[in-house]
């Protein structure tokens, strides 16, 4: 998104991923110790990413309350073993209201923030990075 610190190139996503999760490991080691199971699995994940595992992608996950309120959580991250692991805290996009209940959530959000012309788009991503649009199931 424009005006945010979301990484948009493959190199920036991988770098931000290593920084974000490395900081998490440091905090977790201080609070829980080096032998905590989450710390060990995250450290193993970082080693895999440093060795080139994972495919950079941007995920736009869209939610609806079943009515007019819709929102999207946008994260850049890596797709590892079919799972999206974010490289930063999610950016939330919440338009005022939508009267288009007949459209799928992700299609309506996409029409709001995505344009083929990057100068008119709110979501600007490097062409080498795929954008995955998802509709979350309604509660």
């Amino acid at each position: 998104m424009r005006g945010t610190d979301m990484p948009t190139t493959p190199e920036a996503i991988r770098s931000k991923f290593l920084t974000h999760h490395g900081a998490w490991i440091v905090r977790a080691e201080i609070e829980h110790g080096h032998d905590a199971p989450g710390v060990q699995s995250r450290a193993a994940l970082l080693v895999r990413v440093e060795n080139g595992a994972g495919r950079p992608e941007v995920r736009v996950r869209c939610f609806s309350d079943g009515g007019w309120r819709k929102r999207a959580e946008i994260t850049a991250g890596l797709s590892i073993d079919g799972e999206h692991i974010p490289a930063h805290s999610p950016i939330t996009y919440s338009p005022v209201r939508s009267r288009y209940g007949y459209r799928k959530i992700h299609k309506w959000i996409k029409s709001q923030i995505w344009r083929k012309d990057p100068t008119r788009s709110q979501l600007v991503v490097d062409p080498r990075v795929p954008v995955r649009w998802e509709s979350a199931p309604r509660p």
Side-chain angles (χ1 to χ4, degrees):
M1 301 289 294
R2 292 185 186 272
T4 64
D5 63 346
M6 184 178 94
T8 58
T9 64
E11 299 81 19
I13 291 172
R14 191 170 295 279
S15 174
K16 182 79 170 187
F17 184 92
L18 293 170
T19 304
H20 179 73
H21 291 281
W24 183 91
I25 288 175
V26 170
R27 284 192 309 271
E29 282 181 340
I30 292 170
E31 294 175 9
H32 306 289
H34 182 70
D35 296 330
V39 172
Q40 296 297 322
S41 63
R42 190 74 59 106
L45 176 67
L46 286 182
V47 169
R48 286 181 60 198
V49 170
E50 286 175 343
N51 290 325
R55 181 178 50 88
E57 70 177 6
V58 171
R59 181 178 74 174
V60 182
R61 188 166 178 153
C62 305
F63 301 87
S64 173
D65 65 354
W68 289 7
R69 296 172 195 233
K70 297 175 178 26
R71 71 181 167 87
E73 288 182 355
I74 304 162
T75 55
L78 296 176
S79 177
I80 300 174
D81 299 331
E83 181 181 351
H84 177 83
I85 303 173
H88 59 88
S89 300
I91 298 167
T92 303
Y93 172 76
S94 298
V96 181
R97 293 190 335 184
S98 163
R99 293 190 177 138
Y100 299 102
Y102 60 88
R103 293 178 78 182
K104 296 215 181 268
I105 308 161
H106 71 275
K107 289 186 179 182
W108 186 81
I109 294 284
K110 185 176 183 177
S111 72
Q112 298 294 305
I113 63 175
W114 183 263
R115 303 283 186 274
K116 288 184 180 180
D117 180 7
T119 60
R120 297 182 56 225
S121 183
Q122 292 183 37
L123 179 64
V124 180
V125 180
D126 189 291
R128 298 173 291 166
V129 178
V131 178
R132 185 169 61 166
W133 300 87
E134 296 179 354
S135 291
R138 290 185 178 161

